[in-house]
């Protein structure tokens, strides 16, 4: 587990096995470079979306993973249709209906496959900003307005990385089929 510098996130990852990340460590800090990148972009998403844009968010979580910070799990997602996911932990805590916790799951490499239109670190960056915005949305409300949630999370990709055009694959479908929840 790596706790990010500002202690907003706990990144859970494997060095061996199916979910393992590349062990390359160019700066010799004993943390794989990929995990350094996850930490950097997670904290950047927090800075941009919470501090600069002012979205309310608490990184506290249910402690089910043993850490008091927001959890990010790095997994091999090649057998799924997802770049990543925000997963609710609970709909609310007792005596505090305004507090909802979740965790994020991210791909372990965003390697070149037909699945990912955007690969490598660019795939990681946009996915962190997208899924972190879902975490913010869930923290604010457990309302299930999926199309709006996807559109605003996709906008975060564009807002902070306009040069990465991954969002174009989704936008066309949302405008053609706005009520289709499977997109």
């Amino acid at each position: 587990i790596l706790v990010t510098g500002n202690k907003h996130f706990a990144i859970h990852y494997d060095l061996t096995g199916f979910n393992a990340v590349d062990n390359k460590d160019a700066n010799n800090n004993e943390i794989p470079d990929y995990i350094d990148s996850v930490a950097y972009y997670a904290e950047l998403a927090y800075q941009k979306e919470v501090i600069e844009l002012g979205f309310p968010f608490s990184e506290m979580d249910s402690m089910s993973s043993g850490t008091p910070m927001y959890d990010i799990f790095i997994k091999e997602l090649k057998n799924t249709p997802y770049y990543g996911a925000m997963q609710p932990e609970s709909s609310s805590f007792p005596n505090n209906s305004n507090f909802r916790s979740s965790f994020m799951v991210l791909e372990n490499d965003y390697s070149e496959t037909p699945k990912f239109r955007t690969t490598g670190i660019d795939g990681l960056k946009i996915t962190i900003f997208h899924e972190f915005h879902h975490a913010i949305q869930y923290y604010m409300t457990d309302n299930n307005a999926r199309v709006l949630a996807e559109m605003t999370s996709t906008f975060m990709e564009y807002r902070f990385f306009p040069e990465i055009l991954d969002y174009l694959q989704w936008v066309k479908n949302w405008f053609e089929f706005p009520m289709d929840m499977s997109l």
Side-chain angles (χ1 to χ4, degrees):
I1 297 174
L2 171 69
V3 174
T4 60
N6 289 334
K7 298 186 180 354
H8 295 124
F9 303 95
I11 303 168
H12 304 260
Y13 63 97
D14 293 331
L15 295 173
T16 61
F18 182 73
N19 294 310
V21 298
D22 184 341
N23 290 329
K24 182 180 171 192
D25 181 17
N27 62 358
N28 295 314
N29 67 350
E30 299 183 11
I31 300 166
D33 295 339
Y34 185 77
I35 300 303
D36 282 335
S37 294
V38 171
Y40 174 80
Y41 287 109
E43 285 292 348
L44 185 62
Y46 187 95
Q47 173 65 35
K48 297 294 185 183
E49 296 188 37
V50 175
I51 305 302
E52 292 179 21
L53 294 180
F55 285 106
F57 182 73
S58 171
E59 61 273 4
M60 291 175 49
D61 76 359
S62 68
M63 292 290 294
S64 62
S65 68
T67 66
M69 302 101 211
Y70 190 86
D71 294 302
I72 299 174
F73 295 92
I74 308 302
K75 302 287 183 187
E76 173 57 73
L77 299 177
K78 73 179 180 182
N79 297 325
T80 74
Y82 305 109
Y83 277 56
M86 181 283 299
Q87 179 64 48
E89 290 181 311
S90 61
S91 60
S92 64
F93 275 45
N95 303 319
N96 187 352
S97 62
N98 293 323
F99 181 74
R100 295 170 192 85
S101 64
S102 66
F103 61 87
M104 191 185 310
V105 178
L106 299 172
E107 165 67 23
N108 68 346
D109 63 7
Y110 296 95
S111 64
E112 303 268 343
T113 68
K115 173 181 169 176
F116 298 117
R117 178 176 174 172
T118 302
T119 59
I121 295 301
D122 282 351
L124 173 68
K125 293 189 301 194
I126 62 170
T127 304
I128 287 176
F129 274 71
H130 182 108
E131 298 305 332
F132 183 64
H133 198 68
H134 282 317
I136 288 169
Q137 293 163 342
Y138 186 70
Y139 174 74
M140 293 188 305
T141 179
D142 56 8
N143 184 347
N144 198 11
R146 184 166 177 209
V147 171
L148 182 60
E150 287 300 330
M151 290 177 87
T152 56
S153 287
T154 301
F155 176 73
M156 290 300 142
E157 298 174 31
Y158 171 74
R159 168 74 171 79
F160 295 106
F161 303 104
E163 70 282 5
I164 302 173
L165 304 177
D166 189 84
Y167 67 92
L168 292 176
Q169 68 182 311
W170 312 110
V171 173
K172 181 177 185 273
N173 287 337
W174 289 329
F175 283 110
E176 288 181 2
F177 308 102
M179 300 309 291
D180 186 349
M181 295 298 171
S182 66
L183 299 176

